Amino acid sequence: MNSADKNTTFLPDFCSARIVFVVVLIAELLAIILTLAQLPQGDNEGDNALYTLATNSLFIQWIALTCTGSICLLRQHIQHLPAGRVATICYLLAIGVTLIISEIAWLEFRPPAASRNGSAHLLFLGKSVGISAVVSALVLRYLYIQQQWRRQLQLESEARFAALQSRIRPHFLFNCMNTIASLIRQQPQSAEEAVHDLADLFRASLNNAGRLSTLADEKRVCEQYLRMEKLRLGDRLQVSWQVKAQYNAVKLPALCLQPLIENAICHGIEPLAEGGCITIHCSDDGKDLHITVSNPIAKAAHPPHEGNRVAQQNINSRLQALYQRKNLLHIREQEATYVVELTIPLACEEDA
């Protein structure tokens, strides 16, 4: 999902196999409902019901798939129009397709007794167009409400992320400044590098919340942050990167990894007198990339600090809004180790 996607129509991608399957399923359910509503009475009720269901399914699927294909072809031309105009175009398109296919179906499959009955012809067309008008209005309304809900979720997620960005941890800033001050006379080169790292961290923190980054860029930001903390914690802080080069180009939301490492230091390494090692591990199962950040914790550690939960909930909301999937962030404790796992869908990477 890029910035341009936020301005597109509320219509989903009717060219995708998933949407076509949903359309076919809804059309078939409508055919079943109409068949149940007009079950005949008599001894041949079962045979007539199956025949009616078959004809209703053929007719409705014909209309549904024709509308789907038409919207698929039109979507790129109307996606930047206002929502009201898009809805009007799709609504009129559905009614027009229904009218044309109904007329063709009447001419090809009309009952012999009704061939000269004009009122039956008009009644058939009226029923078909009326049902299409009601169903199309409901579907378009549902799609619009769903798109607004997703947009609201994304805006709330970005607002929380922006608020989190603006809350630069005072103790981290003060510790960095004190560390830099102590290095100026004894290690001026290290002090200069620390200033550059701090500036880069602030620059990354002020970037757009909706921006996508690569795993290589996220790793670089984290390494700059870790160098700053290494100056303060010394040998108490150890880091193990278990990231293969093949994952460097994978796209993921900007600054979703650094807060997890910061939490690992603040709530895992710092409370331990002997410190510990933070491990960042990446693996994939063919569909998703799994990034785990693990750190040691004290055996009698208290529950995670509120700031820890806020950062994790924020990242989870951003992932959910971006990939439209739930449970993309998992937290678990294994003996004396705290593990946070991020799941990045690889199939959505290019579309995102």
Side-chain angles (χ1 to χ4, degrees), residues 114 209 230 267 269:
K230 184 73 173 177
H267 307 292
I269 304 301

Side-chain angles (χ1 to χ4, degrees), residues 106-160:
W106 176 265
L107 294 176
E108 294 294 332
F109 305 105
R110 67 183 182 275
S115 59
R116 298 182 180 180
N117 190 342
S119 61
H121 182 195
L122 293 178
L123 180 61
F124 174 73
L125 293 180
K127 284 183 177 180
S128 300
V129 172
I131 293 174
S132 176
V134 173
V135 173
S136 299
L138 292 176
V139 170
L140 289 172
R141 181 61 179 173
Y142 168 77
L143 293 176
Y144 177 76
I145 292 176
Q146 185 183 52
Q147 188 266 353
Q148 291 297 307
W149 174 78
R150 289 179 176 176
R151 178 61 177 153
Q152 182 66 25
L153 178 63
Q154 182 178 354
L155 291 174
E156 291 177 357
S157 175
E158 291 179 359
R160 287 195 297 268

Side-chain angles (χ1 to χ4, degrees), residues 47-58:
D47 295 337
N48 289 336
L50 292 177
Y51 176 78
T52 302
L53 176 60
T55 54
N56 284 342
S57 297
L58 177 62

Side-chain angles (χ1 to χ4, degrees), residues 6-152:
K6 299 176 182 178
N7 298 322
T8 58
T9 177
F10 63 90
L11 296 175
D13 183 9
F14 279 90
C15 300
S16 67
R18 183 179 67 87
I19 296 299
V20 173
F21 173 76
V22 172
V23 170
V24 170
L25 181 61
I26 294 175
E28 191 60 30
L29 290 175
L30 178 59
I32 294 174
I33 292 173
L34 292 178
T35 302
L36 293 176
Q38 56 185 16
L39 280 178
Q41 301 294 327
D43 296 335
N44 297 327
E45 180 177 344
D47 295 337
N48 289 336
L50 292 177
Y51 176 78
T52 302
L53 176 60
T55 54
N56 284 342
S57 297
L58 177 62
F59 179 60
I60 295 175
Q61 294 290 359
W62 193 3
I63 295 175
L65 292 177
T66 303
C67 290
T68 301
S70 301
I71 296 176
C72 171
L73 296 176
L74 283 176
R75 188 175 187 272
Q76 60 179 344
H77 302 292
I78 65 175
Q79 62 182 356
H80 297 296
L81 296 177
R85 189 175 300 178
V86 171
T88 301
I89 293 174
C90 294
Y91 188 70
L92 295 177
L93 176 64
I95 293 177
V97 168
T98 302
L99 183 60
I100 294 173
I101 293 180
S102 298
E103 181 65 22
I104 295 174
W106 176 265
L107 294 176
E108 294 294 332
F109 305 105
R110 67 183 182 275
S115 59
R116 298 182 180 180
N117 190 342
S119 61
H121 182 195
L122 293 178
L123 180 61
F124 174 73
L125 293 180
K127 284 183 177 180
S128 300
V129 172
I131 293 174
S132 176
V134 173
V135 173
S136 299
L138 292 176
V139 170
L140 289 172
R141 181 61 179 173
Y142 168 77
L143 293 176
Y144 177 76
I145 292 176
Q146 185 183 52
Q147 188 266 353
Q148 291 297 307
W149 174 78
R150 289 179 176 176
R151 178 61 177 153
Q152 182 66 25

